[in-house]
Amino acid sequence: MSLKLRDEVLMLIDSKREDDFWDFKVKYHSNSADLLHDIICMANNRVDRDAYIIFGVVDRTYEVVGVSNDENRRTQQQMIDFLKDKKFVSGIRPKVELRNLIIADQEVDVLIIKNSTETPYYLTEDYDIQGRRVRANYIYTRVGDTNTDINKSTDINNVEYLWKKRFLLTRSPFEQVMKLLANKSEWKRNEDTYYHVYNPEFTITISEDDETRTKSEFYAYSLTDSSTTYRNLSINYFGTQLYGDLIVFLDGGRYCTPTPEWGFLFFGEHRVNHDYALKYFTKDSPSYKLNKFLYDDNNQEASFARRCFFEVVLLFEDDFEKDSFFTYVEQYNEIFIDRFNSLDRGFSWIEVDNHRHQENIVSRLKTGEVLNQMLSDFRSIH
């Protein structure tokens, strides 16, 4: 993420302006009420995305001066602790992340205010310090390069937008249902159909798979029972299909998941034929959101099966992390090969139709296990 974020921040500096989701500060706020006000404005931004407060850049000349000597500089934990004791409505407060970048040989801090549908964020109790007051029940936002004044509440049209965002009315039906999947308690099941209690126009149906699939994918052999059953899953809105996926019942039906995506590693110079194959999810993908939706976390057998499954299937934060990790593995392929060859595990219990098929399954099981080890290493240095 750091490389991607750095490229974006460089682009914003080069634009020589401020706008809806980014603000430059030459140094950290000396008054914490001003900091809180800025964070709330950014959390309630009108462009429906993560927002940035970028410290160490002059907001008129856009010169990078850094924050290494800033006496008011904060850490991420200090930022989180600062927000933790503020009286936000329903106890729901903005989520933030503080990242440090090196730009023009200077340390620049970027406070990322995470995008959310929990808007509008506002206080239920005044926060007053050093003559500056963030007012209770005032709704602040940011329009263009301008924050709502600390002594005023934003215009009614902005308030309406933020409430519409909370109720997903600014999102397409597909985006709405993806958000609704996160709260499983709001869904009811009737045989092979799920419907949303408060929005019954959204349904999820599971039906027979039209194709005949006789072979289990390699990850099935990481579980106690390697038998598999495939089904089709369809997400519908008023009967119109919004999304379809192939799901698989694993471990004798104890664990259900959409089938993961294929990924390939190329160690050769010409990248014609892949050297190793793997399976993965990204956390922001519809298939992984369905993976979490279908998973019964109260079922111990399902929990055990899921742990075994993700020992050989990779889980990435997003496509950027996935692509960066693939590049990392291909760069350090000697480490991968050494760990692959030295992995000492018995797989004699795998019963398939021929020896070559068994070797293929073993190779992919070992690939998944080694790559998960390397992914842990990769994250520790990035």
Side-chain angles (χ1 to χ4, degrees):
M1 180 178 176
S2 295
L3 290 175
K4 185 179 180 181
L5 179 63
R6 184 177 186 277
D7 290 343
E8 187 173 13
V9 170
L10 283 170
M11 181 184 68
L12 297 179
I13 294 171
D14 288 342
S15 73
K16 297 190 180 301
R17 63 187 177 91
E18 297 174 328
D19 214 325
D20 299 86
F21 68 90
W22 75 94
D23 192 12
F24 295 113
K25 302 288 182 186
V26 64
K27 57 184 179 180
Y28 278 75
H29 303 73
S30 57
N31 187 310
S32 58
D34 289 326
L35 171 61
L36 180 61
H37 174 249
D38 279 354
I39 290 175
I40 294 174
C41 287
M42 286 298 189
N44 287 333
N45 76 70
R46 287 288 310 260
V47 290
D48 199 11
R49 58 151 294 162
D50 289 354
Y52 305 139
I53 300 176
I54 304 168
F55 298 102
V57 178
V58 182
D59 63 357
R60 295 188 184 276
T61 65
Y62 308 101
E63 177 188 1
V64 178
V65 295
V67 291
S68 57
N69 297 317
D70 189 343
E71 62 182 11
N72 295 312
R73 190 178 186 184
R74 298 175 184 245
T75 65
Q76 174 166 307
Q77 191 58 52
Q78 288 172 328
M79 286 288 188
I80 293 171
D81 291 342
F82 169 68
L83 293 172
K84 189 180 296 182
D85 63 356
K86 304 303 176 290
K87 305 300 183 182
F88 282 92
V89 63
S90 301
I92 300 173
R93 50 191 49 81
K95 295 180 176 62
V96 299
E97 180 181 355
L98 189 64
R99 302 298 296 267
N100 176 258
L101 305 174
I102 302 299
I103 296 177
D105 296 324
Q106 299 286 343
E107 284 191 79
V108 172
D109 286 351
V110 181
L111 183 65
I112 305 170
I113 300 92
K114 299 290 188 176
N115 187 32
S116 168
T117 56
E118 295 173 333
T119 59
Y121 293 98
Y122 59 94
L123 299 181
T124 57
E125 183 180 295
D126 284 359
Y127 180 68
D128 192 347
I129 189 167
Q130 297 174 351
R132 297 286 285 172
R133 178 185 299 171
V134 183
R135 297 176 183 269
N137 302 311
Y138 277 37
I139 296 180
Y140 305 110
T141 187
R142 182 176 179 87
V143 179
D145 62 354
T146 304
N147 289 342
T148 306
D149 190 276
I150 199 169
N151 296 316
K152 297 179 180 179
S153 191
T154 190
D155 295 340
I156 187 63
N157 62 307
N158 294 324
V159 176
E160 289 175 349
Y161 169 83
L162 293 169
W163 281 110
K164 286 180 178 179
K165 184 179 178 184
R166 173 177 284 247
F167 293 113
L168 305 177
L169 298 178
T170 62
R171 304 294 180 94
S172 69
F174 176 74
E175 291 174 305
Q176 290 181 44
V177 75
M178 287 295 108
K179 184 71 176 179
L180 294 173
L181 287 175
N183 192 344
K184 291 189 284 187
S185 65
E186 294 182 352
W187 291 83
K188 297 298 182 185
R189 183 173 183 176
N190 182 10
E191 295 183 350
D192 288 334
T193 299
Y194 298 86
Y195 66 92
H196 192 264
V197 173
Y198 305 111
N199 301 275
E201 63 272 23
F202 291 109
T203 59
I204 301 171
T205 59
I206 297 173
S207 60
E208 294 290 331
D209 181 27
D210 295 333
E211 296 185 31
T212 302
R213 305 173 196 269
T214 57
K215 291 186 177 181
S216 298
E217 294 279 10
F218 72 90
Y219 46 77
Y221 295 92
S222 68
L223 309 176
T224 304
D225 185 339
S226 62
S227 63
T228 56
T229 303
Y230 293 93
R231 294 286 187 269
N232 289 317
L233 180 145
S234 177
I235 300 178
N236 305 295
Y237 177 67
F238 286 116
T240 298
Q241 186 181 52
L242 299 177
Y243 179 80
D245 212 338
L246 181 67
I247 63 173
V248 57
F249 290 85
L250 297 165
D251 202 26
R254 285 180 281 268
Y255 180 59
C256 178
T257 176
T259 55
E261 297 288 331
W262 280 109
F264 303 99
L265 297 173
F266 298 86
F267 294 165
E269 181 180 352
H270 302 293
R271 301 179 64 86
V272 176
N273 298 312
H274 66 267
D275 294 273
Y276 296 90
L278 61 133
K279 284 276 194 172
Y280 71 90
F281 289 108
T282 56
K283 288 185 179 180
D284 55 359
S285 66
S287 57
Y288 182 67
K289 291 175 181 178
L290 283 166
N291 172 282
K292 293 176 68 177
F293 177 81
L294 295 169
Y295 167 53
D296 181 2
D297 53 6
N298 293 317
N299 185 319
Q300 290 186 349
E301 291 181 327
S303 297
F304 178 75
R306 192 173 196 265
R307 286 196 300 272
C308 294
F309 176 80
F310 277 109
E311 286 178 1
V312 296
V313 173
L314 280 81
L315 178 59
F316 298 104
E317 294 294 328
D318 50 32
D319 281 331
F320 179 77
E321 184 184 56
K322 169 182 68 71
D323 294 340
S324 300
F325 177 68
F326 283 9
T327 301
Y328 166 81
V329 175
E330 289 168 2
Q331 180 180 359
Y332 296 100
N333 61 76
E334 305 92 346
I335 296 176
F336 170 85
I337 293 171
D338 181 63
R339 291 187 180 183
F340 182 92
N341 291 332
S342 61
L343 186 61
D344 185 19
R345 283 191 55 191
F347 296 98
S348 58
W349 45 267
I350 296 177
E351 296 182 4
V352 290
D353 48 6
N354 59 66
H355 183 66
R356 181 172 184 143
H357 187 194
Q358 184 186 48
E359 285 184 336
N360 184 270
I361 291 170
V362 170
S363 174
R364 289 175 176 172
L365 287 170
K366 292 173 65 176
T367 296
E369 190 169 334
V370 171
L371 288 178
N372 268 312
Q373 294 172 6
M374 293 187 70
L375 181 58
S376 178
D377 296 341
F378 173 79
R379 285 173 174 159
S380 69
I381 59 176
H382 286 80

